[in-house]
Amino acid sequence: MATAELAGKHLVLGMTGGIACYKIAELTRLLTKAGATVQVVMTEAATQFITPVTMQALSGRPVYTNQWDARMPNNMAHIDLSREADAIVIAPASTDFLAKLAHGMADDLLATLCVARDCPLLVVPAMNRQMWQNPATQRNVAQLRADGVEVLGPDSGPQACGEIGDGRMLEAAATYEAIASFFAPKILSGRRVLLTAGPTFEPLDPVRGITNRSSGKMGFALARAAQQAGADVHLVAGPVALETPWGVFREDVQTAGQMHDAVMRSVADADIFIGVAAVVDWRVDHTSEHKIKKAADRALPVFSFVENPDILAAVAKLPHPPFAVGFAAESGDLEVHGEEKRVRKNVPLLIGNLGPLTFGMDDNEVILFEAAGATRLPRADKQTLARALIAEIAKRLPDTSLIR
Ligand code: CTP
């Protein structure tokens, strides 16, 4: 999550009755940490699962449960609480509450707030699989979608009732991601983005290999930012220990050869290619089938190497290439090597990491190299920087009709 990526956003978080209420404690923490103000409103049923005191402590604001709450000077809680809101999020949204919403009912504070709102409404359903599959629920959800309500989830998996299936609420982190995505400007709407990220691993034998210190954080942050910007994102990832960003299609590979093949299989569909991976430049020409043992005479093993395919250059060489963006990590003289590398790889834009090498770190500072010259972006955490880079890429895209 980027520092304060929801700063200035005011959310009404409406909780209805369900065991998934426990997830909302964590969701509230994530939303407030991202800078949002969170006004919690609970139905009576929700207070059976988690107390208003807990939600008040986590949100830092008084919690409202009742339409006749005397704390509102004008007794207009149903209007006042959502007046400043950028969105109302109902999480968990019970079967009953979805039915109420679909029919425009207003028989408690939260339902009235929803009917009286002047802002987007997001619902995060949480229920048993049979309740979710019930034709009435499906009808209500279809009606809500038709009314412009965003339906986030539900997830599939084990449920509190012991059954397995669709209906459980998205985890708090996924709900947070879906909300953050909802607010991001859709500057890449309708575009397809293919990215590589992380290191590659080139085996020497079944237990050893060569790799590098790339963590994949920058590539994953870019994939997340592109998804939030409305793109359809395909991420080809080398071996990394990172979670797949929400809504991103991920394909895992090990070697540069596999990464090259995965990219070549999908590149025809891409409008934008971003090569963030730190591809290992060489592999051994013969990988040993068995673990290489120490020789009795202690002779050291000798390897001969062959060069790996240059994925970015191969993409740029295609007859109808997508808008191709490279990355460069240099240990010195970035200003010289950056532009030289951009020209050598024949890409319109190359993003140079300003030293020291930032592998695994959360912050980064970059220079954009392009034919028109070099531009420096301010140092920022990788998520914030990723959003700035996606905006820079979006600005430079040719009109879709001219791409292919
Ligand atoms: N790249 C690639 N395939 C390779 C090597 C690099 O697609 N076999 C891409 C990287 O993903 C990055 C860009 O090319 O977008 C530059 O990578 P970098 O490692 O900095 O450049 P190299 O071409 O490997 O040059 P050198 O290591 O000599 O600096």
Side-chain angles (χ1 to χ4, degrees):
M1 180 201 305
T3 326
E5 70 182 351
L6 293 183
K9 295 283 181 249
H10 179 74
L11 299 176
V12 170
L13 183 54
M15 300 173 63
T16 72
I19 189 64
C21 278
Y22 80 91
K23 295 183 182 178
I24 310 309
E26 174 71 359
L27 175 64
T28 305
R29 203 188 61 83
L30 292 170
L31 291 167
T32 51
K33 200 170 149 210
T37 53
V38 178
Q39 174 60 62
V40 177
V41 176
M42 300 171 80
T43 62
E44 280 299 316
T47 64
Q48 298 291 316
F49 291 89
I50 190 166
T51 68
V53 174
T54 302
M55 297 313 301
Q56 175 161 341
L58 289 166
S59 65
R61 297 170 81 92
V63 170
Y64 289 83
T65 56
N66 166 344
Q67 198 150 348
W68 316 115
D69 198 308
R71 285 174 296 180
M72 281 288 165
N74 59 0
N75 243 333
M76 291 267 193
H78 65 293
I79 307 283
D80 288 354
L81 287 174
S82 68
R83 189 163 269 160
E84 308 281 298
D86 293 292
I88 299 179
V89 180
I90 307 296
S94 66
T95 319
D96 179 59
F97 201 77
L98 291 177
K100 268 191 202 178
L101 284 179
H103 291 87
M105 288 172 68
D107 61 348
D108 64 14
L109 174 59
L110 188 56
T112 314
L113 263 173
C114 292
V115 177
R117 79 184 186 280
D118 182 21
C119 64
L121 176 61
L122 287 70
V123 296
V124 195
M127 64 197 72
N128 152 278
R129 101 189 137 81
Q130 263 145 352
M131 294 170 96
W132 175 251
Q133 280 163 3
N134 186 294
T137 306
Q138 289 301 312
R139 226 171 24 243
N140 291 334
V141 170
Q143 182 61 55
L144 289 172
R145 286 202 173 103
D147 292 345
V149 174
E150 284 282 322
V151 181
L152 311 180
D155 222 342
S156 189
Q159 306 196 310
C161 55
E163 295 182 7
I164 296 180
D166 288 345
R168 55 181 264 159
M169 194 189 127
L170 296 177
E171 293 305 328
T175 308
Y176 172 83
E177 288 296 315
I179 295 170
S181 183
F182 174 80
F183 282 117
K186 298 292 173 266
I187 51 179
L188 288 185
S189 170
R191 306 282 193 164
R192 290 155 305 176
V193 177
L194 178 64
L195 298 105
T196 62
T200 63
F201 179 87
E202 312 299 326
L204 298 172
D205 69 15
V207 295
R208 304 181 182 93
I210 7 176
T211 185
N212 58 54
R213 295 173 56 208
S214 169
S215 65
K217 282 183 183 170
M218 193 66 229
F220 275 57
L222 277 159
R224 177 177 186 263
Q227 189 282 333
Q228 292 195 344
D232 197 349
V233 182
H234 181 163
L235 172 63
V236 180
V240 292
L242 294 175
E243 272 186 43
T244 310
W246 162 257
V248 165
F249 174 72
R250 171 177 178 173
E251 189 176 352
D252 283 318
V253 297
Q254 293 282 318
T255 66
Q258 291 166 355
M259 188 174 270
H260 171 269
D261 294 350
V263 166
M264 288 305 154
R265 269 196 305 274
S266 299
V267 70
D269 290 333
D271 301 308
I272 302 166
F273 172 76
I274 315 178
V276 199
V279 183
V280 174
D281 289 311
W282 313 279
R283 65 181 185 278
V284 288
D285 56 359
H286 293 294
T287 305
S288 171
E289 211 181 306
H290 301 288
K291 185 181 171 198
I292 301 166
K293 304 294 284 178
K294 271 183 279 187
D297 62 359
R298 298 272 167 187
L300 296 176
V302 175
F303 299 102
S304 68
F305 290 93
V306 288
E307 199 165 321
N308 272 328
D310 188 320
I311 304 165
L312 179 62
V315 168
K317 256 190 228 129
L318 290 169
H320 300 289
F323 184 79
V325 181
F327 263 76
E330 303 289 342
S331 51
D333 259 347
L334 176 65
E335 317 261 343
V336 179
H337 294 309
E339 180 56 11
E340 177 272 320
K341 197 169 273 185
R342 184 190 75 78
V343 172
R344 177 159 50 85
K345 305 234 177 190
N346 191 26
V347 290
L349 182 63
L350 186 122
I351 298 159
N353 281 311
L354 265 173
L357 290 175
T358 54
F359 291 136
M361 287 165 58
D362 287 326
D363 274 25
N364 211 356
E365 192 172 353
V366 299
I367 302 185
L368 310 188
F369 295 96
E370 58 194 324
T375 323
R376 199 171 173 143
L377 295 190
R379 170 167 287 278
D381 66 272
K382 287 182 178 174
Q383 298 288 346
T384 304
L385 191 60
R387 284 198 289 168
L389 287 173
I390 288 298
E392 295 292 339
I393 291 169
K395 269 198 266 177
R396 289 164 173 80
L397 284 182
D399 194 273
T400 326
S401 55
L402 302 177
I403 295 181
R404 29 197 77 235

